[in-house]
Amino acid sequence: MNNNRFECHASAKYIRTSTHKSRRVLKQIQGKSYSEARLILEFMPYRVCKTIIKILESALNNISQKTNDEIDKQELIIKEAFVNKGPVLKRFQPRAQGRAFPIRKPTCHITIKLEV
């Protein structure tokens, strides 16, 4: 870390959404300031935005504990925001004539890194 450069991250695992849907939202906020990203997420129509806001707030709390002083939210930058694939929940839907139709319910792990 450089002079007064703090970096912190927060992650959430086993989120019940696909990586494609999460990545679509995370690309929009990467490189933006905290307050700008928060504003973008609040007005996006996607379900995963609520989860990403919680992760962003957690990262903010982590970095404020690390620095032990008040942080200007305009100076906070989202350095990295990425999503990894999690395990797939496999379920079956009964169909006609005793057949079973597989249903795959994907999960993902979301990580956000902030820098002051």
Side-chain angles (χ1 to χ4, degrees):
M1 286 184 226
N2 301 346
N3 314 345
N4 298 334
R5 297 303 269 174
F6 290 101
E7 186 179 303
C8 225
H9 77 279
S11 60
K13 294 187 171 190
Y14 308 106
I15 304 298
R16 266 286 294 117
T17 185
S18 71
T19 56
H20 297 85
K21 292 175 184 178
S22 302
R23 198 170 287 127
R24 168 177 60 189
V25 175
L26 290 174
K27 280 184 182 178
Q28 298 295 317
I29 65 168
Q30 195 163 6
K32 304 255 192 307
S33 68
Y34 172 84
S35 53
E36 189 179 353
R38 177 74 195 255
L39 194 65
I40 290 169
L41 288 171
E42 283 185 19
F43 290 105
M44 275 186 152
Y46 306 117
R47 189 184 73 168
V48 75
C49 289
K50 290 178 185 176
T51 307
I52 293 173
I53 287 173
K54 286 182 184 179
I55 300 166
L56 201 58
E57 287 175 355
S58 177
L60 174 70
N61 291 331
N62 290 344
I63 206 162
S64 64
Q65 281 188 347
K66 196 173 189 180
T67 58
N68 293 328
D69 60 331
E70 194 64 34
I71 294 172
D72 183 22
K73 292 178 181 175
Q74 293 293 335
E75 292 179 15
L76 271 177
I77 294 172
I78 298 173
K79 184 178 179 183
E80 215 175 346
F82 60 92
V83 61
N84 292 325
K85 189 176 177 185
V88 176
L89 302 173
K90 294 176 179 137
R91 303 290 182 259
F92 290 97
Q93 176 76 31
R95 298 306 284 249
Q97 298 180 353
R99 294 186 177 93
F101 182 75
I103 296 174
R104 302 175 77 239
K105 297 185 174 193
T107 62
C108 66
H109 309 311
I110 301 172
T111 305
I112 296 176
K113 291 185 182 178
L114 292 179
E115 185 179 59
V116 174

